[in-house]
Amino acid sequence: MAEEKLLTKREVVTEFRRREILRSAQEVFAREGFQEATMDKIAQNAGVSKGTLYLYFKNKTDLFFQAIDEKLNEFISLIHKSLEGDHPPLKKIWNVVSTQMEFFEDHKAFFKVCLNIRGGLYLEHPQEYFERLKEKYQPYFNEISQVIEQGCEQGTFCQVEPMKAAYLLAEMINSLILYRIIHETTNPVTQDEKLIYRVFLRGLLKKGAE
Amino acid sequence: MAEEKLLTKREVVTEFRRREILRSAQEVFAREGFQEATMDKIAQNAGVSKGTLYLYFKNKTDLFFQAIDEKLNEFISLIHKSLEGDHPPLKKIWNVVSTQMEFFEDHKAFFKVCLNIRGGLYLEHPQEYFERLKEKYQPYFNEISQVIEQGCEQGTFCQVEPMKAAYLLAEMINSLILYRIIHETTNPVTQDEKLIYRVFLRGLLKKGAE
DNA sequence: TACTATAATGACTATTAAGTTATTACAATG
DNA sequence: CATTGTAATAACTTAATAGTCATTATAGTA
């Protein structure tokens, strides 16, 4: 009675096509950005014709957002996992820093796309997509902000607006990823992780100074 | 003998046109971003015909970069002025934070354009323009980094790579400007300036904690 | 005022690329 | 193996816009 939901050949092909198109789109968008990436290039790269793209995706913007959606999910779920369990806030902050740093170190092209989106969203995509992405990021900022709130309550951290502090931390991490890209740094990420961790928690001031 | 270099009517008009086009371009680019801003819109907004734009500027990209150039100069020279004189590093850090925060608070549209450029540069503009802009920003990062170096030497700051610390500071400031834009915050910037100043120098950790 | 050179115009061209659709290929099914 | 409906194709349409150029207007000058 095991109602084995065997996929027909057609369903298999359909799923395979969809994946292949998404993979191709990720590649081309990451390499060329939204404008320069054309539907023709993506189709060719995927080994299908342009018309086929439109059987699977409504339009270019739709394809774009679905393409990044997956990697973004991956990132956000990594962050989520790194915050599971009952650890002290300091440990969790460290986990965020190292997880994010290492993820983008391994996905530099995707990092550029993220910058690209954020920069372009305010100006070059329909408001609707901005809202969608904002929602997408929400859990990420919420989780960091909760960690900070927890730290405040426990008396580990100073009193701050947790969400603002979360933004600060997130952008501190991004700034060093950017630094690494611009200066083509190859030294171990761990050094930069430590730097962020230290500055975010203790600041630049030397003990006893001022 | 006062060799008064009187401008002819033609020269006056020419200079006026040029200024008017730049002003219009700043406006339209800030409102719509690079892609959406068309030469027609810019021309119409400036009250000239499209052909005229090409008498004054080589092409769209050229116009774009000349349009932002001016505001960028203004910003960089403000930062420069705020670092003049013989003040202790702490005072100078404060000056950077408040100058930058307040400048972008007053020029939110321009801030968006800056994000837009940075995001798009890696992917959507010729490498040449990226290099040009990098050079443009150089003095800004150099000055901050020198302040930090000075602080290190004087024993006020911990030992860090000054340029990385400069990046950290710059992006911390940007992160809160971004926060203000996204959350449509209207509370006084001074609060946010103080937050950055404190976190950058002393971090989030409560005295005596951990 | 008349002549010349430069500035300005806007219709025009050329290109690019998103999205459509008529046609063809192919998988499922009895 | 024949029939049918769905998937895929690629040539086509459409729209947008950067950049050009022949024509017109205007400032400088004698």
Side-chain angles (χ1 to χ4, degrees):
Chain A
M1 216 61 92
E3 191 63 51
E4 283 296 307
K5 184 65 184 175
L6 246 298
L7 293 176
T8 66
K9 185 168 180 182
R10 176 160 286 178
E11 284 167 323
V12 170
V13 169
T14 293
E15 186 49 27
F16 177 82
R17 274 291 116 90
R18 199 188 127 77
R19 298 271 342 113
E20 190 56 21
I21 292 170
L22 279 176
R23 190 206 52 74
S24 164
Q26 279 165 8
E27 208 173 288
V28 180
F29 281 128
R31 196 175 57 229
E32 321 211 16
F34 184 77
Q35 282 299 329
E36 294 299 309
T38 69
M39 294 302 262
D40 276 308
K41 284 180 194 167
I42 293 167
Q44 199 174 6
N45 188 249
V48 298
S49 76
K50 185 166 64 162
T52 303
L53 301 186
Y54 290 90
L55 296 175
Y56 291 84
F57 302 93
K58 204 165 80 239
N59 54 42
K60 187 181 175 183
T61 313
D62 183 50
L63 173 56
F64 180 61
F65 278 87
Q66 290 206 41
I68 60 170
D69 202 55
E70 205 177 31
K71 267 208 148 48
L72 216 48
N73 285 339
E74 193 190 331
F75 169 64
I76 289 172
S77 101
L78 271 178
I79 293 288
H80 177 74
K81 281 210 192 76
S82 82
L83 294 178
E84 272 172 357
D86 194 23
H87 301 291
L90 281 180
K91 166 77 173 141
K92 288 187 173 181
I93 294 291
W94 172 257
N95 287 350
V96 169
V97 172
S98 58
T99 304
Q100 182 163 342
M101 264 301 229
E102 278 155 36
F103 181 83
F104 284 120
E105 175 71 12
D106 295 341
H107 301 84
K108 288 208 175 77
F110 182 63
F111 178 76
K112 289 181 190 176
V113 175
C114 289
L115 272 196
N116 197 247
I117 301 167
R118 195 184 63 183
L121 266 180
Y122 301 102
L123 301 168
E124 309 200 327
H125 290 283
Q127 175 79 3
E128 174 205 346
Y129 288 95
F130 174 61
E131 296 299 339
R132 202 201 277 186
L133 207 79
K134 206 168 141 186
E135 260 173 56
K136 191 97 210 164
Y137 268 114
Q138 210 54 66
Y140 161 76
F141 282 114
N142 284 344
E143 292 208 78
I144 301 181
S145 127
Q146 273 159 30
V147 171
I148 292 166
E149 205 167 0
Q150 196 188 339
C152 291
E153 284 162 8
Q154 295 184 7
T156 321
F157 297 152
C158 302
Q159 215 58 43
V160 284
E161 286 181 61
M163 193 51 88
K164 274 186 190 173
Y167 265 69
L168 276 176
L169 181 60
E171 291 300 312
M172 286 173 77
I173 303 171
N174 286 344
S175 77
L176 287 204
I177 297 168
L178 197 60
Y179 183 95
R180 295 177 68 85
I181 292 177
I182 290 178
H183 295 80
E184 291 168 357
T185 307
T186 52
N187 68 6
V189 269
T190 339
Q191 286 178 18
D192 291 331
E193 293 167 17
K194 282 179 192 154
L195 177 59
I196 292 166
Y197 183 71
R198 209 197 61 206
V199 174
F200 185 64
L201 295 174
R202 303 188 182 284
L204 217 61
L205 222 49
K206 206 163 177 177
K207 226 168 189 153
E210 213 275 355
Chain B
M1 213 64 88
E3 189 62 53
E4 282 296 307
K5 182 66 183 175
L6 245 299
L7 293 175
T8 66
K9 184 169 180 183
R10 176 160 287 180
E11 284 168 323
V12 169
V13 169
T14 292
E15 186 50 26
F16 177 80
R17 273 291 117 87
R18 199 189 127 78
R19 297 268 344 112
E20 190 56 19
I21 292 170
L22 278 177
R23 190 206 52 73
S24 164
Q26 279 165 8
E27 207 172 288
V28 179
F29 281 127
R31 195 175 58 227
E32 321 210 14
F34 183 77
Q35 283 299 329
E36 294 299 310
T38 68
M39 294 302 263
D40 276 308
K41 284 181 194 167
I42 294 167
Q44 198 174 7
N45 187 250
V48 298
S49 77
K50 186 165 62 161
T52 303
L53 300 186
Y54 289 90
L55 295 176
Y56 290 84
F57 301 92
K58 205 167 78 239
N59 54 41
K60 187 181 173 182
T61 313
D62 183 52
L63 173 55
F64 179 62
F65 278 88
Q66 290 207 41
I68 60 171
D69 201 57
E70 204 177 33
K71 268 210 146 49
L72 217 47
N73 284 340
E74 192 190 329
F75 169 64
I76 289 171
S77 103
L78 270 178
I79 293 287
H80 178 74
K81 280 210 194 76
S82 82
L83 294 177
E84 272 173 358
D86 194 22
H87 301 291
L90 282 180
K91 167 78 173 137
K92 289 189 174 180
I93 293 292
W94 172 257
N95 287 351
V96 169
V97 172
S98 59
T99 304
Q100 181 163 341
M101 264 299 228
E102 277 154 37
F103 182 82
F104 284 120
E105 175 72 14
D106 294 340
H107 301 84
K108 288 209 175 78
F110 182 64
F111 179 76
K112 290 181 189 176
V113 175
C114 289
L115 272 196
N116 196 246
I117 300 168
R118 196 184 63 183
L121 266 180
Y122 301 102
L123 301 167
E124 310 199 327
H125 290 283
Q127 176 78 3
E128 174 205 346
Y129 288 95
F130 175 61
E131 295 299 338
R132 202 202 277 184
L133 207 78
K134 209 169 138 184
E135 261 173 54
K136 191 97 208 163
Y137 268 115
Q138 210 54 66
Y140 162 76
F141 282 114
N142 285 343
E143 292 208 79
I144 301 182
S145 128
Q146 273 160 30
V147 171
I148 292 166
E149 206 166 359
Q150 196 188 340
C152 291
E153 284 162 7
Q154 296 185 6
T156 320
F157 297 153
C158 302
Q159 215 58 40
V160 285
E161 287 180 60
M163 192 50 86
K164 273 186 190 172
Y167 265 69
L168 276 177
L169 180 60
E171 291 300 312
M172 286 172 78
I173 303 171
N174 286 343
S175 77
L176 288 204
I177 298 167
L178 197 58
Y179 183 96
R180 295 176 67 85
I181 292 177
I182 290 179
H183 295 81
E184 291 168 355
T185 308
T186 51
N187 68 7
V189 270
T190 340
Q191 285 179 19
D192 291 331
E193 293 166 17
K194 282 180 193 155
L195 177 60
I196 292 165
Y197 184 72
R198 210 197 61 205
V199 174
F200 185 65
L201 295 174
R202 303 187 180 283
L204 216 61
L205 222 50
K206 206 163 176 176
K207 224 167 190 157
E210 208 273 355

